Each structure stands twice: as structure tokens, then as C-alpha cells.
């Protein structure tokens, strides 16, 4: 069916939508859920953080009364299944699924145990896959919708100290593209967002480890835009991919990293007027 772009309500891009956002108690997930609610969606958030989830639920309900929180461990299949059943009970049809929940454990490859990979694989990969399996029927019930998976720029770029994490996020990207192809006949699109390292929990961990000043210097090296990325920067991309504005995008990987792929060399943190690359 051809889309009439003239009928898009740009003030309420998700008006009448039901959405599920995993990892919605904080960071990128919370920012996405709040933005979705402001654009008219009723949003279910799932998270293992009960206190954070209830606080986020209160904020969401103030914007969109039909929104709610469900506690779930995205590293446990039974917990995911129970969460999905509760969401579908409230939302018989779902227009957007945002698979955002994820964990990151950094370390040198030869110093990390396989248990770290298993933990990340359960949440980042199996959690994304299982949640998608459980929610797809509700998306199909409405005649189509959108899946937005949160991967990482490490899925495309090598970096020391994150090889295991990068492997899980690369799997998320590959999974997204296969789902995009398999379910396009149902008018379901699947796309991926690749946030840069300065955003959300990875940026927080970097600041905690090296301090504000050193971290800010590192962030300026990684990207031409000389500020830290924010969860809201990723949420804006998730709104685009979850709405009809991106109707002709499928299987794409949208990089939200301050232009990290635009640089050809390590960028100085000095002001532009004093920067001499040669």
C-alpha cells in the first residue's frame, strides 16, 4: 500500500501507536519511551530495574496514561515470555518494538573469561531475538509495524578491549537485516541504530574510570562533534525509524556517533583555529 505522506501528523508521529521499549528504565530506553509518548504512543517499558522502571512509568503516565512498566530480565527466556504475554494482553496489537536492553563488559580478550561473553550474549543477542519472536505476532496482527534494534558502532569498527561486546552487537546487526528481509512481506520493517561509545552507559563508565576531563578529551578524539552524545540523540533516531517518516528504510544501520566515521585520523582536541593536521 502506497503511503500518503501528506497525511503524516508531524506533531504526533506515533499517534495511536502501541510500543514496547526494553531497557526502558534509564538511558537510551527511557529517553526513547518518553519521546514516543510525547508523539502520541502508549508505551510499555520492560526492565530488570524495578525502582527505575516504576519511576519512569510515572513520568510516562503523565504524558501518555496508557503507558506502563513490567519487570523483566532480558537475559532469561522465561522472563521475556512472561513479559511479552503481559504486554500483548494490554496491547493486542503493537506498532513498534525497540530492543534496547543490553549490557557491556569491557576487558582485554586474553584476560576475560567466557562467562562474560555468555552474560552479554544472553541479554544482547538472545534477549533481542526472543523478544522479537514473542512480539512479532502482535505486530503482524495490526498489518505491519517497525522493529528498532539498538546495536553499537563497535559492530562495524574494531576497538581494543571490547571484542566480546562487539561480537554480540555485530550479531544484533546481522539479525536485524535478516528479519528485515524475512518479514518485509508483512509490511514489517527492521532497522538498527549504532550509538557511539560516548552515549549512555558506556560513556558513563568511561567517565567513571578516567574522570570528566580525560573522558571529554577522549570523546573529542573519537568524533568531529566535540561533545558527548546523549540518550536523546539516539531517541530522535528511534523516533524516525519507528515512524512513517522512514517508510522506505529497511535493514539499515543508522550510525549515531557524532560523525565518528567521518574522520580519517585521530582528531586533536584543540580549537579548530589551532589545529594543524599536517
Amino acid at each position: 500500500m502506497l503511503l500518503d505522506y501528506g497525511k503524516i501528523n508531524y506533531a504526533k508521529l506515533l499517534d495511536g501507536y502501541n510500543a514496547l521499549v526494553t531497557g526502558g528504565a534509564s538511558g537510551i530506553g527511557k529517553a526513547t519511551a518518553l519521546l514516543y509518548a510525547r508523539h502520541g504512543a502508549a508505551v510499555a517499558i520492560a526492565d530488570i530495574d524495578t525502582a527505575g522502571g516504576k519511576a519512569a512509568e510515572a513520568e510516562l503516565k503523565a504524558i501518555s496514561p496508557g503507558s506502563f512498566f513490567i519487570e523483566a530480565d532480558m537475559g532469561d527466556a522465561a522472563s521475556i515470555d512472561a513479559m511479552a504475554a503481559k504486554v500483548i494482553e494490554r496491547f493486542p496489537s503493537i506498532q513498534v518494538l525497540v530492543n534496547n536492553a543490553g549490557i557491556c563488559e569491557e576487558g582485554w580478550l586474553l584476560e576475560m573469561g567466557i562467562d562474560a561473553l555468555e552474560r552479554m550474549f544472553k541479554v544482547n543477542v538472545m534477549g533481542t531475538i526472543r523478544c522479537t519472536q514473542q512480539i512479532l505476532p502482535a505486530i503482524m496482527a495490526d498489518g505491519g509495524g517497525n522493529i528498532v534494534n539498538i546495536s553499537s558502532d563497535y559492530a562495524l569498527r574494531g576497538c581494543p578491549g571490547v571484542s566480546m561486546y562487539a561480537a554480540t552487537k555485530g550479531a544484533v546487526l546481522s539479525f536485524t537485516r535478516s528479519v528485515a528481509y524475512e518479514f518485509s512481506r508483512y509490511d514489517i520493517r527492521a532497522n538498527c541504530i549504532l550509538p557511539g561509545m560516548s552515549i549512555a552507559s558506556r560513556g558513563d563508565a568511561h567517565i567513571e574510570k578516567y574522570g570528566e576531563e580525560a573522558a571529554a578529551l577522549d570523546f573529542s578524539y573519537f568524533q568531529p562533534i566535540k561533545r558527548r552524545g546523549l540518550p536523546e540523540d539516539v531517541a530522535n533516531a528511534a523516533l524516525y525509524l519507528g515512524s512513517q517518516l522512514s517508510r522506505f528504510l529497511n535493514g539499515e544501520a543508522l550510525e549515531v556517533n557524532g560523525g565518528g566515521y567521518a574522520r580519517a585520523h585521530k582528531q586533536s582536541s584543540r580549537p579548530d583555529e589551532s589545529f594543524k593536521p599536517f
Side-chain angles (χ1 to χ4, degrees):
M1 186 174 80
L2 289 176
L3 175 69
D4 184 352
Y5 285 96
K7 293 182 179 179
I8 293 177
N9 182 353
Y10 289 89
K12 294 285 186 179
L13 289 170
L14 305 180
D15 192 31
Y17 280 36
N18 295 323
L20 168 61
V21 180
T22 68
S26 61
I28 290 171
K30 180 180 177 181
T32 298
L34 288 171
L35 185 58
Y36 276 22
R38 293 188 190 103
H39 275 269
V43 186
I45 55 172
D47 206 294
I48 197 171
D49 177 5
T50 304
K54 289 181 177 179
E57 179 185 57
E59 291 185 57
L60 283 168
K61 281 184 173 295
I63 304 169
S64 176
S67 300
F68 59 95
F69 162 69
I70 294 179
E71 182 179 356
D73 180 356
M74 300 308 295
D76 180 82
S79 181
I80 294 171
D81 292 355
M83 176 274 294
K86 292 176 183 177
V87 171
I88 293 173
E89 184 179 355
R90 297 277 292 272
F91 294 159
S93 65
I94 295 174
Q95 288 70 43
V96 189
L97 166 63
V98 181
N99 284 306
N100 164 72
I103 59 174
C104 176
E105 296 189 34
E106 299 183 6
W108 304 112
L109 180 60
L110 296 181
E111 297 175 0
M112 293 185 72
I114 199 66
D115 55 333
L117 176 60
E118 290 176 346
R119 284 192 295 271
M120 287 188 284
F121 199 89
K122 283 182 179 179
V123 177
N124 300 355
V125 182
M126 295 304 298
T128 294
I129 292 173
R130 187 61 179 170
C131 189
T132 302
Q133 285 180 318
Q134 294 299 302
I135 297 299
L136 265 171
I139 299 177
M140 295 169 69
D142 193 56
N146 300 309
I147 297 170
V148 181
N149 292 329
I150 307 299
S151 178
S152 165
D153 59 350
Y154 290 142
L156 298 179
R157 177 175 64 185
C159 184
V162 292
S163 56
M164 289 187 176
Y165 173 73
T168 66
K169 289 302 187 176
V172 171
L173 175 56
S174 295
F175 173 70
T176 301
R177 285 179 165 156
S178 291
V179 170
Y181 203 108
E182 183 175 347
F183 288 89
S184 60
R185 65 183 181 273
Y186 299 109
D187 200 21
I188 294 173
R189 297 182 297 111
N191 291 289
C192 206
I193 299 176
L194 281 58
M197 70 82 60
S198 68
I199 301 176
S201 59
R202 281 184 296 154
D204 292 340
H206 199 75
I207 291 171
E208 183 177 345
K209 185 174 182 179
Y210 297 106
E212 289 276 358
E213 185 175 350
L217 185 65
D218 286 342
F219 296 157
S220 74
Y221 284 161
F222 297 144
Q223 58 199 38
I225 295 180
K226 296 179 182 179
R227 70 162 174 85
R228 182 185 177 186
L230 301 174
E232 288 76 12
D233 294 319
V234 181
N236 288 333
L239 175 63
Y240 170 64
L241 292 177
S243 75
Q244 295 189 49
L245 293 181
S246 59
R247 201 68 177 89
F248 206 56
L249 269 69
N250 197 26
E252 290 296 330
L254 184 58
E255 301 157 16
V256 182
N257 60 11
Y261 289 108
R263 60 164 174 72
H265 54 78
K266 190 174 183 179
Q267 179 175 322
S268 170
S269 62
R270 292 176 293 174
D272 288 342
E273 60 269 17
S274 65
F275 178 46
K276 298 178 180 179
F278 302 109

